[in-house]
């Protein structure tokens, strides 16, 4: 008998009809002889009463919440969802037990809003499974050794599921969501995006890091460390979805350099002109930003100018961090980063020239670019993101079978 972790995202647990689908998935898994651990996200999206963004809005409107306050209220969304899901499962004749992240053995560091899991003690969950109980675990949260409730970063219920999968030695971690699997692009932006049946951990990690919100990058990282397959699939159909595993377990038959296109919205580009060879100033710029907790990306350093991008919401923090330095920083808000990703581009010449050609044809101006062995990223105006994503998707043959 294997243990399977089944995680259900916010839209999968939003209504009673949807929760009935969840019951069906749990029963189907049990009927195959498996032990099931359920992980749930908060119910619904912004505007719905117990959604994460709604709860955040509540404390933001009330006054000046601390990071600890925000985690405290955000964690409630998953707790409510857990109790509701457990009641639904009990009505269906199962024996569920709702658990907070901490009760499920998840300990984290003390970084509010983006805590990292430090340890998972599976002993209690294992004892529940032995008794035929279905643990229903609140995703996205843990507790620090200081005794604080912490959250794991937006989208972090995936991380909970993967961490529990690793700790329990699960055969599979199933991520149930509102799309049929991981697709060649976000279907909200590219209607002709296709579901990918098999993907390598490395590709999905890159996709998730470059903005494909369908799975959290830390969930991929955790599963990859122990080679636990992740399956991303729909709560609302029986389609097989996407299996994410080690590349050696399957043959990449696509033969294309690019597997998918991803995008990140609301980034700001910072350009700082510096007198040449002022190494001390260069160091000051990046250390001040690091001390202020501003993470930089798409970094381009030359003697005369330093360019990088930051999340738009961190622009005020970055301005304050740089204020006392002898320099002028130019902030360009309203940008987006679009990336093409694929293990097939490793060592293949001409991928950048195809990116440039596709974007040129679509009339999209590249403001900056960067690459790694699995990705090429370009910075563009946010207004161009749909045209750019669709053009790249078409140009790399992702719109056709
Ligand atoms: P959940 O609440 O189930 O965790 P999310 O909203 O976090 O759901 O993730 C699912 C959404 O991710 C989809 O509705 C889709 O719009 C978006 N998405 C972005 N990129 C991709 C992609 N490459 N493949 C599939 N979905 C994607
Ligand atoms: N509810 C949390 C969020 O909206 C975690 C998750 O859905 O995975 O970010
Ligand atoms: Mg999610």
């Amino acid at each position: 008998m294997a243990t399977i972790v089944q995680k259900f995202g916010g839209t999968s647990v939003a209504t009673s009809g949807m929760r009935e689908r969840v019951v069906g998935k749990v029963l189907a898994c049990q009927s195959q002889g498996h032990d099931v651990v359920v992980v749930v996200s908060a119910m619904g999206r912004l505007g719905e009463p117990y959604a994460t963004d709604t709860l955040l809005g509540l404390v933001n409107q009330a006054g000046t919440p601390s990071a600890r306050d925000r985690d405290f209220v955000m964690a409630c969304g998953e707790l409510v969802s857990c109790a509701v899901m457990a009641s639904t499962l009990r009505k269906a004749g199962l024996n569920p037990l709702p658990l907070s992240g901490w009760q499920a053995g998840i300990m984290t560091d003390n970084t509010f809003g983006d805590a990292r899991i430090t340890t998972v003690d599976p002993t209690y969950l294992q004892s529940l499974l032995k008794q035929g109980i279905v643990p229903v675990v609140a995703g996205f949260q843990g507790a620090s050794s200081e005794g604080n409730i912490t959250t794991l970063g937006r989208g972090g219920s995936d991380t909970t599921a993967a961490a529990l999968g690793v700790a329990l030695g699960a055969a599979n971690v199933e991520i149930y969501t509102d799309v049929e699997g991981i697709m060649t692009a976000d279907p909200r932006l590219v209607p002709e995006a296709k579901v990918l049946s098999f993907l390598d951990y490395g590709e999905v990690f890159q996709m998730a890091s470059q903005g494909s919100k369908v799975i959290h990058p830390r969930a991929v990282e955790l599963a990859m460390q122990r080679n636990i397959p992740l399956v991303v699939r729909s709560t609302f159909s029986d389609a097989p979805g996407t299996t994410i595993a080690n590349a050696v377990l399957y043959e990449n038959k696509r033969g294309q350099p690019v597997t998918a296109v991803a995008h990140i919205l609301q980034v700001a580009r910072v350009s700082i002109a510096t007198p040449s060879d002022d190494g001390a100033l260069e160091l000051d710029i990046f250390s001040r930003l690091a001390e202020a907790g501003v993470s930089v990306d798409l970094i381009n350093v030359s003697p005369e100018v330093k360019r990088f991008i930051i999340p738009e919401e961190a622009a005020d923090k970055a301005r304050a961090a740089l204020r006392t330095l002898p320099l002028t920083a130019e902030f360009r808000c309203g940008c987006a980063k679009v990336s093409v990703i694929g293990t097939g581009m490793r060592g293949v010449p001409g991928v950048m020239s195809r990116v440039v050609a596709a974007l040129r044809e679509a009339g999209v101006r590249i403001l900056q670019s960067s690459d790694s062995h699995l990705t090429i990223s370009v910075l563009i105006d946010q207004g161009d993101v749909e045209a750019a994503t669709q053009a790249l998707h078409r140009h790399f043959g992702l719109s056709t079978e």
Side-chain angles (χ1 to χ4, degrees), residues 11 13 36 69 124 158 163 253 269 274 317 320 325 332 338 347 369 387 394:
T11 48
V13 291
V36 186
D69 297 343
Y124 185 45
D158 299 333
K253 295 205 184 81
R269 183 177 65 171
T274 46
K317 224 199 256 182
L325 294 178
R332 179 182 180 131
V338 173
S369 70
R394 226 177 12 254

Side-chain angles (χ1 to χ4, degrees), residues 216-236:
H216 196 290
R218 274 188 205 146
V220 185
E221 211 171 27
L222 285 168
M224 174 163 57
Q225 281 164 14
R226 293 292 180 84
N227 254 331
I228 295 187
L230 290 168
V231 183
V232 178
R233 57 198 301 199
S234 169
T235 307
F236 312 110

Side-chain angles (χ1 to χ4, degrees), residues 7-13 41-42 44-45 154-158 175-189 193-196 199 207 211-216 232-233 235 242 260-263:
K7 176 256 167 178
F8 298 92
T11 48
S12 302
V13 291
S41 288
R45 298 258 157 86
R154 299 305 306 268
S157 298
D158 299 333
I175 307 287
Y176 284 93
T177 185
D178 61 351
V179 284
E180 299 279 322
I182 299 192
M183 306 175 82
T184 47
D186 186 342
R188 282 186 246 188
L189 221 63
K194 302 263 178 327
V195 176
L196 295 154
L199 284 168
M207 286 177 73
S212 299
K213 293 224 166 90
V214 62
I215 190 161
H216 196 290
V232 178
R233 57 198 301 199
T235 307
T242 305
V261 186
H263 66 279

